[in-house]
Structures are given as structure tokens and as C-alpha cells.
């Protein structure tokens, strides 16, 4: 049987991941811990924020309940984001859950600064047959 992507039965192994760079804004917007911008691109809602002199990009939704992480607080010592709804915490570096109730990690995205402008690499799933 040939997988039919319209029915959702294309195996992830049969897909390849491509990506594109999405401009978020000037690096000067990310000087202080917790400075943040939400960007929507390619079906992704991405939270880009500063912590401990670095810029991170993660999915903007908590995996425990559908709540926006940009409403949460950044813990600068550990570079975590805390969901404002139930105080679940996630690592900004890895997306891993660092304190429950969430059990699933959040997605992380690669960040590149090009000529003083922050960009996030957003994946685009495509079928290799197309």
C-alpha cells in the first residue's frame, strides 16, 4: 500500500525536513533577560527570547495545556521558561521539561544572527516524492 499524505498516513521516516530562515527582528531587541518576540511562520508560533546573554527560540505553547509561554516568566539563572498557567518549566536550551506538570518537551528552533538581525530556522516538512 502506498502511503497517502492526505489521510495523514505518511510515516515520518518517509518525510524529509527542510527549513527556511525567518526574520524576527534586530538583535538589539534581545538585550535583557526575558526580552521576547512572538513570530508566526510556516504554521509555527515561535517565542524568541533572551536569557543569560543568549537568544533562544522555542514553541510558544505549553505541552501540558494549550497556554502561551510568552505570558510566562524567564528564570535567568537556569535559562528556563515557566508557564503562567500551572508553573511547568522548560529548558530554553533543550526544550526539556524541568518541572512538571508537563511531560512532553517543547520544540526548540535554531537561531542565527546575521548582520545584527535575529533569524529563526523554521522547518518545512515535505514529501520526497513531491
Amino acid at each position: 500500500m502506498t502511503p497517502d499524505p492526505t489521510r495523514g498516513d505518511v510515516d515520518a521516516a518517509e518525510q524529509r525536513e527542510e527549513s527556511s530562515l525567518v526574520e524576527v527582528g534586530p538583535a538589539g531587541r534581545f538585550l535583557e533577560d526575558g526580552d521576547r518576540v512572538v513570530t508566526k511562520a510556516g504554521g509555527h508560533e515561535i517565542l524568541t527570547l533572551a536569557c543569560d546573554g543568549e537568544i533562544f527560540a522555542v514553541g510558544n505553547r505549553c505541552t501540558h495545556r494549550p497556554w502561551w509561554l510568552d505570558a510566562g516568566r524567564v528564570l535567568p539563572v537556569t535559562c528556563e521558561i515557566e508557564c503562567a498557567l500551572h508553573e511547568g518549566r522548560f529548558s530554553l536550551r533543550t526544550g526539556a521539561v524541568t518541572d512538571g506538570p508537563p511531560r512532553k518537551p517543547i520544540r526548540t528552533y535554531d537561531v542565527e544572527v546575521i548582520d545584527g538581525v535575529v533569524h529563526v530556522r523554521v522547518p518545512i516538512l515535505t514529501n520526497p516524492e513531491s
Side-chain angles (χ1 to χ4, degrees):
M1 178 177 145
T2 303
D4 181 356
T6 62
R7 291 195 346 238
D9 60 1
V10 173
D11 188 340
E14 296 175 1
Q15 295 180 337
R16 60 183 160 75
E17 191 170 87
E18 295 180 359
S19 62
S20 64
L21 280 178
V22 175
E23 185 175 319
V24 176
R29 292 182 73 174
F30 302 96
L31 298 177
E32 301 291 327
D33 288 338
D35 286 352
R36 62 193 79 191
V37 171
V38 175
T39 306
K40 293 181 182 182
H44 302 263
E45 186 170 321
I46 303 163
L47 172 61
T48 306
L49 65 163
C51 184
D52 196 30
E54 295 182 65
I55 301 173
F56 299 94
V58 297
N60 193 34
R61 294 293 177 131
C62 181
T63 57
H64 173 240
R65 295 279 189 259
W67 200 258
W68 298 270
L69 291 176
D70 66 304
R73 71 183 178 118
V74 172
L75 295 107
V77 173
T78 55
C79 282
E80 297 171 310
I81 183 100
E82 181 179 80
C83 179
L85 186 61
H86 290 121
E87 300 175 348
R89 293 182 185 175
F90 302 91
S91 166
L92 293 173
R93 288 186 172 86
T94 66
V97 175
T98 57
D99 193 18
R103 294 184 182 163
K104 293 171 53 177
I106 55 174
R107 182 164 195 154
T108 60
Y109 300 85
D110 291 335
V111 175
E112 296 181 32
V113 179
I114 303 168
D115 296 327
V117 178
V118 176
H119 295 80
V120 174
R121 188 159 295 282
V122 179
I124 304 165
L125 288 177
T126 59
N127 189 319
E129 297 175 17
S130 53

